[in-house]
Amino acid sequence: MTKIITFIGAGNMARALISGLVQEDNGNLNIRVADPTESQLEEVKQSWGSVETFTDNSRAIAGADVIVLAVKPQIMKLVCEPLQDDLKNQNSLIISIAAGVNIANLNLWLGGQAMPIVRCMPNTPALVQAGMTGLYANQEVSNTQHELAESILRAVGSTLWLSSEDKLDAVTAVSGSGPAYYFLVMEAMQDAGQKLGLTAEESRLLVLQTAFGAAKLALESSDDAGTLRQRVTSKGGTTEAALKTLIEGGLPDLFEKALKAAENRSVELKNS
Ligand SMILES: NC(=O)c1ccc[n+]([C@@H]2O[C@H](COP(=O)([O-])OP(=O)(O)OC[C@H]3O[C@@H](n4cnc5c(N)ncnc54)[C@H](OP(=O)(O)O)[C@@H]3O)[C@@H](O)[C@H]2O)c1
């Protein structure tokens, strides 16, 4: 049976999700997008002719099985409140990808009646279908809606369901903000490579392919990262010399502090 999926907001994240969904669709999806900016909608139409576009959010959600709220957190209340009357007459699954907006507030802004809501935290590699999304569903979400939410987010990468909404702060600290930590490591390694005499291009390729290869190897291996690290660290070798410098310099402790700072900030933003 055809499922109607409406995206509110046609920005980067919505387009990443639409791109993944269109690639996987075997004719069962009716994808709609609403955004006040005509130029955003024009880009959507040019990329995916089958996607319906709207400038009126209310018209776009009529009869939708799923409504994906893909606007910035600061305008979420403004976007949700005008949809209250429309939602009284339909049992749409609400999926929010906005950072730091909790289910209690979403529910309140959408009218306060019991409704199925999934809150998720994707990350930017979703833009290249290699994202990592943490999800939490409230009690109103049925098994079918659970699977529907899963299939939408899986279109842009991997998914992890969480047992409590609070864990989304930890997810934000680890995978939500995580790409930036790896970019910092890449940047530092590229600069260090250049200081060893490599050109910028040589250093870039060596660093990026090594990051990609290490992640792929770790994902495909049944061993944990610590075991993989030990396996490539020969006694008295080059890797050991580098790792000793990093560990003695406090890298593991720094990561612990950095992730705690990100989690604290996520809680602060949610409560502000
Ligand atoms: N980007 C990420 O890496 C990332 C990661 C995790 C979570 N998220 C979350 O994903 C959400 C979207 O992020 P994004 O990066 O895709 O933002 P974005 O590119 O700014 O997209 C938001 C879109 O919503 C549109 N919009 C504004 N007011 C609207 C309204 N009243 N009705 C419908 N659409 C409206 C915006 O139009 P205008 O441009 O004209 O304002 C824009 O096209 C955010 O809540 C963010 O927290 C993003």
Side-chain angles (χ1 to χ4, degrees):
M1 209 176 77
T2 303
K3 295 278 180 210
I4 303 175
I5 302 177
T6 297
F7 288 84
I8 305 289
N12 297 314
M13 269 294 156
R15 276 185 272 174
L17 285 161
I18 293 166
S19 170
L21 285 172
V22 169
Q23 279 173 44
E24 291 192 357
D25 181 26
N26 44 19
N28 293 333
L29 298 181
N30 170 352
I31 302 173
R32 302 175 183 169
V33 190
D35 197 289
T37 311
E38 289 279 6
S39 58
Q40 296 275 63
L41 295 177
E42 200 45 50
E43 280 183 37
V44 169
K45 269 192 261 184
Q46 281 182 4
S47 304
W48 309 284
S50 61
V51 175
E52 286 182 75
T53 58
F54 299 79
T55 47
D56 179 345
N57 293 346
S58 186
R59 277 189 53 225
I61 68 163
D65 295 284
V66 184
I67 299 168
V68 183
L69 300 170
V71 296
K72 294 284 187 203
Q74 55 271 29
I75 64 156
M76 189 60 88
K77 183 169 187 267
L78 203 80
V79 166
C80 287
E81 284 177 345
L83 305 179
Q84 291 183 3
D85 285 342
D86 303 299
L87 289 174
K88 279 183 192 141
N89 307 317
Q90 58 189 63
N91 181 40
S92 308
L93 167 67
I94 309 291
I95 300 181
S96 166
I97 61 167
V101 181
N102 63 25
I103 288 186
N105 276 334
L106 287 168
N107 206 344
L108 184 71
W109 300 337
L110 290 168
Q113 71 275 27
M115 67 175 72
I117 304 181
V118 169
R119 198 183 136 199
C120 9
M121 186 64 209
N123 65 8
T124 40
L127 302 174
V128 291
Q129 267 82 55
M132 180 68 235
T133 303
L135 304 100
Y136 174 76
N138 73 358
Q139 301 223 325
E140 316 305 323
V141 175
S142 68
N143 286 344
T144 313
Q145 289 173 324
H146 203 275
E147 282 164 23
L148 202 49
E150 165 89 21
S151 66
I152 292 172
L153 274 305
R154 276 200 79 88
V156 290
S158 296
T159 53
L160 176 72
W161 286 93
L162 301 156
S163 54
S164 86
E165 189 177 357
D166 283 348
K167 283 193 179 178
L168 282 170
D169 294 313
V171 170
T172 303
V174 177
S175 58
S177 302
Y181 317 152
Y182 287 101
F183 295 145
L184 177 67
V185 170
M186 289 174 198
E187 210 182 325
M189 281 181 67
Q190 276 174 228
D191 289 348
Q194 279 182 255
K195 288 193 179 124
L196 297 179
L198 297 166
T199 66
E201 267 316 294
E202 287 166 343
S203 193
R204 179 178 182 275
L205 177 64
L206 293 169
V207 168
L208 298 195
Q209 182 58 34
T210 302
F212 175 74
K216 188 166 160 57
L217 184 61
L219 273 171
E220 289 177 8
S221 170
S222 55
D223 294 318
D224 61 29
T227 307
L228 292 173
R229 172 174 59 80
Q230 280 159 19
R231 200 171 291 150
V232 293
T233 312
S234 324
K235 202 100 200 98
T238 56
T239 310
E240 188 188 59
L243 289 178
K244 191 166 178 281
T245 309
L246 289 171
I247 291 167
E248 285 178 2
L251 192 75
D253 289 344
L254 265 183
F255 266 106
E256 193 179 324
K257 281 188 198 140
L259 266 63
K260 189 66 199 158
E263 188 197 42
N264 288 345
R265 187 67 189 132
S266 175
V267 173
E268 272 170 24
L269 289 173
K270 197 173 58 182
N271 295 335
S272 66

